[in-house]
């Protein structure tokens, strides 16, 4: 792998987090993580899921570069993990997101909070 390839951000995991508050208003955030390079990106602030889907996610082609491309969030939502979190769980996600990467802590968090359908 050359230097240019190492500098690219290639998100491996996309997470859409819906924070439920006591006032019944949802708050949506989109997270992208690149495990290999230790990169992470986040976009937040949507009150409606439809508004999130219309957002074009800007991804830089290189960490230090100026060129960027975009991808619609609706396309990303198909492969993203969707988490329904309360305020406490959302704070835990925020703390985990901004700490140094630990795959073990992420696995535990995702296992606890990923919705699984009962068969």
């Amino acid at each position: 792998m050359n230097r240019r390839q190492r500098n690219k951000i290639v998100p491996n995991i996309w997470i859409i987090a819906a924070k439920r508050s006591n006032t019944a208003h949802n708050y949506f955030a989109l997270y992208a993580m690149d495990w290999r390079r230790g990169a992470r990106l986040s976009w937040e602030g949507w009150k409606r899921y439809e508004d999130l889907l219309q957002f074009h996610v800007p991804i830089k082609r290189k960490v230090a570069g100026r060129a960027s491309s975009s991808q619609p969030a609706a396309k990303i939502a198909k492969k993203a993990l969707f988490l329904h979190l309360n305020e406490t769980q959302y704070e835990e996600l925020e703390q985990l997101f901004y700490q140094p990467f630990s795959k073990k802590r992420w696995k535990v968090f995702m296992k606890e909070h990923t919705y699984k359908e009962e068969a």
Side-chain angles (χ1 to χ4, degrees):
M1 180 183 314
N2 63 30
R3 184 174 36 138
R4 179 181 58 82
Q5 290 168 327
R6 280 194 309 269
N7 288 337
K8 282 186 176 181
I9 296 175
V10 182
N12 306 54
I13 296 178
W14 293 91
I15 299 172
I16 297 175
K19 179 176 80 169
R20 295 176 302 221
S21 64
N22 297 337
T23 60
H25 292 290
N26 283 337
Y27 180 83
F28 294 95
L30 177 66
Y31 297 95
M33 290 183 290
D34 184 351
W35 288 109
R36 188 170 185 195
R37 294 162 187 88
R40 49 199 142 190
L41 301 166
S42 67
W43 300 269
E44 56 185 79
W46 294 281
K47 299 221 185 271
R48 295 180 9 176
Y49 187 64
E50 295 79 22
D51 295 338
L52 168 66
L53 294 178
Q54 293 177 2
F55 177 66
H56 279 264
V57 179
I59 300 289
K60 285 189 176 184
R61 294 190 192 137
K62 294 183 188 177
V63 174
R66 292 184 187 173
S68 64
S69 59
S70 66
Q71 189 173 20
K75 188 174 180 181
I76 292 169
K78 293 176 186 176
K79 57 187 171 186
L81 299 171
F82 199 89
L83 302 178
H84 293 280
L85 307 172
N86 61 28
E87 291 181 24
T88 307
Q89 294 166 335
Y90 186 79
E91 292 298 322
E92 185 181 344
L93 172 67
E94 285 283 309
Q95 289 176 0
L96 189 60
F97 189 74
Y98 291 109
Q99 290 175 355
F101 274 139
S102 168
K103 284 192 177 186
K104 185 178 179 181
R105 283 188 282 177
W106 273 101
K107 271 187 182 178
V108 170
F109 181 82
M110 296 307 282
K111 188 175 183 180
E112 289 177 5
H113 298 91
T114 303
Y115 175 73
K116 295 180 183 173
E117 291 186 28
E118 300 290 325

